[in-house]
Amino acid sequence: MHPFESHIRNVPDFPKEGIIFKDITPLLQERFNEVIEAMARTINWDEIDYVVGIESRGFILGAAMATLKGKGFIPVRKKGKLPPPVISESYALEYGTDTLEMIINSKPGRVVLVDDVLATGGTLNAVMNLCHKNKFEVKALSLLINLTFLNKFTEDGHPVHSVINY
Ligand code: AMP
């Protein structure tokens, strides 16, 4: 068992029945530094220009990683939050559907995508599509937690780096 796991709370039936929600707030409160260092350690930073953080827990983790490594930060937000011009991508979530947006970019760059939990992979797929449409080359995917039983990302050859795997 990873030492971080004792700080992750399993919340049954949140936000919907049947979901076991991984609450990382106790882990962030007690071990934030170590979490950011553990996530940052998995990435080859020489090949990364920007960190792409996914609203909203991806902002907390991604922004801290970007600061630690001296990289820029690009937010991916829920529909309607970013000012135009934006590109959008709709996707299926483990609980519901949603649309994500990114500001239209004209400067090519190599990116790492950061989020807290990889579940079905719908979110990361949508963000990868946004990046490809927006001149960003996705070099790596960085997650704190990979719920490996819900997705086939690693088998499909995506460069997934996660600290805790269930
Ligand atoms: P998915 O698109 O199914 O991979 O879901 C990933 C997104 O939903 C991430 O932004 C997570 O924060 C959130 N999420 C999905 N399932 C869970 C879970 N069991 N516990 C906590 N967050 C989750």
Side-chain angles (χ1 to χ4, degrees), residues 19-22 57 92-95 115-123 147:
I19 304 290
I20 300 174
F21 188 84
K22 297 284 181 195
R57 277 158 285 163
L93 201 66
E94 191 185 359
Y95 36 83
D115 204 356
D116 63 335
V117 175
L118 169 57
T120 64
T123 304
L147 303 178

Side-chain angles (χ1 to χ4, degrees), residues 29-153:
Q29 188 173 334
E30 299 301 330
R31 310 284 287 269
F32 190 51
N33 253 0
E34 292 157 76
V35 168
I36 297 307
E37 278 164 12
M39 289 182 74
R41 221 177 288 131
T42 63
I43 306 301
N44 175 10
W45 291 96
D46 291 340
E47 60 177 27
I48 303 296
D49 301 309
Y50 309 114
V51 174
V52 172
I54 304 164
E55 187 170 358
S56 57
R57 277 158 285 163
F59 288 177
I60 299 168
L61 301 170
M65 287 165 74
T67 303
L68 184 67
K69 294 296 168 182
K71 305 292 177 179
F73 181 81
I74 298 168
V76 168
R77 300 208 61 180
K78 308 269 168 66
K79 188 179 170 63
K81 302 283 188 186
L82 288 169
V86 295
I87 51 168
S88 306
E89 187 80 22
S90 294
Y91 66 107
L93 201 66
E94 191 185 359
Y95 36 83
T97 62
D98 225 331
T99 301
L100 289 174
E101 294 182 335
M102 192 185 232
I103 299 271
I104 288 185
N105 164 65
S106 54
K107 191 175 153 203
R110 303 161 301 168
V111 299
V112 53
L113 312 188
V114 177
D115 204 356
D116 63 335
V117 175
L118 169 57
T120 64
T123 304
L124 276 186
N125 266 323
V127 177
M128 282 197 289
N129 288 341
L130 282 177
C131 286
H132 295 147
K133 286 181 189 166
N134 217 8
K135 299 189 176 69
F136 292 123
E137 187 187 347
V138 178
K139 285 289 190 183
L141 313 174
S142 176
L143 295 313
L144 177 56
I145 298 168
N146 185 354
L147 303 178
T148 58
F149 55 93
L150 289 176
N151 69 79
K152 291 189 169 167
F153 259 60

